[in-house]
Amino acid sequence: MSPTAAARQIDPPANGLPSHAGIYHYDQVDRDFLKQRVEQFRRQVARRLAGELTEDEFKPLRLMNGLYLQLHAYMLRVAVPYGVLTSRQVRQFGRIARQYDKGFGHFTTRQNLQFNWIKLVDVPAILDLLAEVDLHAIQTSGNCIRNVTSDQFAGVASDEVVDPRHYAEVLRQWSTLHPEFSFLPRKFKIAITGSSADRAAICIHDVGLIAKRDADGNVGFEVYVGGGLGRTPFIAKKLRDWLPEDQLIAYLEAVLRVYNAYGRRDNIYKARIKILVHELGIDAFRNEVEAEFARMPVAEYRLEPTIIDGIRARFASQPYEALEPISGVLARARLEDQAFNRWVRTNVAAHRQPGYAIATITLKPAGGIPGDVSADQMDAIADLADHYSFGEIRVTHEQNLVLAHVRQDDLPALWKALSAIGFGEANSGLITDIIACPGLDYCALANARSIPLAQRISERFADLDRQHHIGELKIKISGCINACGHHHVGHIGILGVDKKGVEAYQLTLGGSAAEVGAIGDIMGPALSADETVDAIESVVGVYLEQRQDGERFLDTLARIGHTPFKDKVYASH
Amino acid sequence: MARVTDAPKVVTANRLQDGAVVWLTAAGDWSTRIADAQVQADAAGAEAALGIARASAARQEVVEPYAVDVAVEAAGPRPLKTREWIRAAGPSIDAIPTAA
Ligand code: HEM
Ligand code: SF4
């Protein structure tokens, strides 16, 4: 590392957490709670092993601690609140991966981390290690309010209006172990953003929030409800155009109460809030919420400005240097090195602080497994975060990582270091930046494999010149209709199905999880894995033939319709 | 899932302590290798084997035992369904990401 980089390295505070990472800092109350919770689960595991608890009794308890049984082993899902981590936490993931897993972890579309090869007997020790760095697996499973997700560029995006992390933290504190909402009809997922560009896919969440400001600068929220994927996908509908900041908790309580009262518990496929909103209609649902809201002692639920200020104060701020807005070092490096220039084009975004940039680390090397990171790579990324980004790392819902505070001058060195660990690929938002769920290689619910298909598509389109020529194109793959891989909202979506005992894949076109969300349309009969890779080639071919100046894939699709694509894909059938 | 078929069967479960995939052997214990599994020729045999497996589950040795359709080959039983052969063989992918 360069001497200047070393000089900027942050002194860790007493607890060893990088002091300037933009996370919420726990206090003793939080830590004592986590310790108790680990001890409780340690006793539950012991009672299960001793036969005092049956599997039926134990299963809900382990799920409340993020522990699933998959095909080959237990899987532990660790919560990463709104996707922000410190370097120390990432190193701890590396340690757990080495000591208790097969040396790697998997970042997911819900900004979480999953370990795929966990032994039940080791889980209490793993939870101890997580608690050491203020992490846990609570509310990563079960019919509760799940870990709240947010914009990976929160607090630094140049287009940001309100920093959503402070409100995400409010929601985390409110929803954690909330007794009234621990046994909902079904799981409940909230996403929040504070920018004009939606990087948090709020339209596919049970509740999506856009933080914004009125003409006087007051904070409020646009509230969306009833989005979701799975068997019955829906884009969320607008519930409120303006919810004043101080009513956030009261209003969400009202939404949850209506859901708790009317959401179906008799049929798991109809239990999500999206079905309730769909069946009642958004207007009737809104009337129910407003009536409940009117009955509530709203003053008791008031989110006082002092509470927000207190939370804001416990987020470290970054001691940015005063820099020129445009870095000469960066400009020169871009001219001299085409490969680096390409990476900057796709993987670097504008930062609100002059002279800084946001760097996306795509966890999608050519032919690699989307979202997988080895323990050695975790250590290396933690070191890079310490040297270049105040010891902070973020997880994106597209299964990538972000260093959110990089000096533009440091980008060339950062890219070289990332390339050396296999993560320097210039493909953010391109055809090989694929989302894929674990699929049939790990998941007990799967119909078909997702990962090997993602790898083959990634290999087929590995040529970066070609990828950049194609431009923005998002492929998302799920191994079954639960849609963990977001296939419904892929520009090209791929769903694994079981065709008389053989794995097959159904393609959809035209989905999107951006500001104007859309569920993709099914193209036609399901295809084999080989045919699927060729079909994607055909779709890309039609697009390149037909595209007009400046059109992205979705634009061309909207202009010419789906027929030319279908005709080409099924021409040989 | 539990559709009755004529195919020969082996009984499988996950080991409680570590979740590992295990197969019921002729000796009535569990092996991590499907090659060691005892093949049941008919439904009655499979039902008897499941009884042994359920007793094992009640002793906290395994969880969720069930029978799997197989073809009997020279190398041993081979599950007919993709899901089950992946369970038997492990993920079809390189489990460790290749670091450059
Ligand atoms: C073995 C592991 C997993 C199991 C058993 C599982 C199970 C499920 C089920 C049953 C649903 C449908 C729920 C419903 O609509 O009510 C679902 C949805 C979902 N899961 Fe998973 N999942 C697993 C892994 C993952 C992974 C690895 C990710 C992230 C990559 C993920 C993210 C999601 C998302 C984003 C949704 C759909 C969005 C929604 O409608 O809420 N899951 N999962
Ligand atoms: S989409 Fe289906 S196969 Fe993929 S992880 Fe979710 S439940 Fe498993």
Side-chain angles (χ1 to χ4, degrees), chain A residues 437-439 443 445-446 478-480 482-484:
Chain A
C437 79
C443 177
L445 305 176
S478 308
C480 81
N482 286 321
C484 305

Side-chain angles (χ1 to χ4, degrees), chain A residues 363-420:
Chain A
L363 306 179
K364 320 285 171 67
I369 299 175
D372 271 13
V373 182
S374 73
D376 292 345
Q377 287 169 325
M378 289 182 194
D379 285 349
I381 289 168
D383 289 346
L384 291 173
D386 280 341
H387 281 93
Y388 296 119
S389 198
F390 302 109
E392 183 201 289
I393 296 115
R394 300 174 179 202
V395 189
T396 85
H397 84 270
E398 295 185 321
Q399 299 182 286
N400 294 321
L401 299 179
V402 163
L403 297 184
H405 324 274
V406 183
R407 295 191 334 161
Q408 292 178 10
D409 285 357
D410 290 336
L411 286 169
L414 171 65
W415 176 67
K416 280 204 183 79
L418 287 173
S419 302

Side-chain angles (χ1 to χ4, degrees), chain A residues 480-494:
Chain A
C480 81
I481 196 61
N482 286 321
C484 305
H486 290 187
H487 69 276
H488 295 295
V489 290
H491 298 173
I492 301 177
I494 303 177

Side-chain angles (χ1 to χ4, degrees), chain A residues 323-339:
Chain A
L323 300 173
E324 292 297 318
I326 304 293
S327 147
V329 176
L330 173 60
R332 253 192 321 282
R334 292 186 71 165
L335 276 178
E336 282 163 11
D337 187 341
Q338 268 314 302

Side-chain angles (χ1 to χ4, degrees), chain A residues 72 74 102 104 120 441 449, chain B residues 16-17 83 86 92 95-96:
Chain A
H72 318 282
Y74 292 91
K102 293 195 175 185
F104 69 104
L120 175 61
D441 284 298
R449 283 171 281 176
Chain B
L16 174 66
Q17 298 224 346
R83 178 188 198 271
I86 290 176
S92 66
I96 312 290

Side-chain angles (χ1 to χ4, degrees), chain A residues 208-266:
Chain A
L209 298 167
I210 304 177
K212 56 186 191 179
R213 288 183 193 278
D214 66 10
D216 300 325
N218 301 309
V219 172
F221 304 90
E222 214 169 298
V223 183
Y224 289 81
V225 70
L229 300 173
R231 190 171 299 261
T232 328
F234 284 110
I235 297 297
K237 298 166 186 79
K238 195 190 274 193
L239 190 58
R240 264 274 194 134
D241 190 59
W242 179 258
L243 177 68
E245 177 188 70
D246 63 345
Q247 295 176 8
L248 176 65
I249 296 304
Y251 195 76
L252 288 183
E253 289 254 350
V255 172
L256 264 300
R257 284 182 184 186
V258 170
Y259 173 49
N260 220 359
Y262 297 116
R264 287 182 62 169
R265 292 171 188 268
D266 60 324

Side-chain angles (χ1 to χ4, degrees), chain A residues 48 51 55 69 71-74 102 104 117-121 369 374 377 440-441 444 449 451-452 455 501 503, chain B residues 14-21 60 62-64 82-83 85-87 90-100:
Chain A
R48 173 71 187 110
E55 185 63 16
L69 182 58
L71 291 181
H72 318 282
Y74 292 91
K102 293 195 175 185
F104 69 104
W117 295 95
I118 295 301
K119 297 182 170 70
L120 175 61
V121 289
I369 299 175
S374 73
Q377 287 169 325
L440 195 49
D441 284 298
R449 283 171 281 176
I451 295 170
Q455 290 179 295
E503 294 166 283
Chain B
N14 288 82
R15 205 155 54 194
L16 174 66
Q17 298 224 346
D18 59 3
V21 175
Q60 289 75 244
V62 297
V63 291
E64 295 174 14
T82 315
R83 178 188 198 271
W85 74 247
I86 290 176
R87 257 184 101 253
S92 66
I93 48 180
D94 190 358
I96 312 290
T98 43

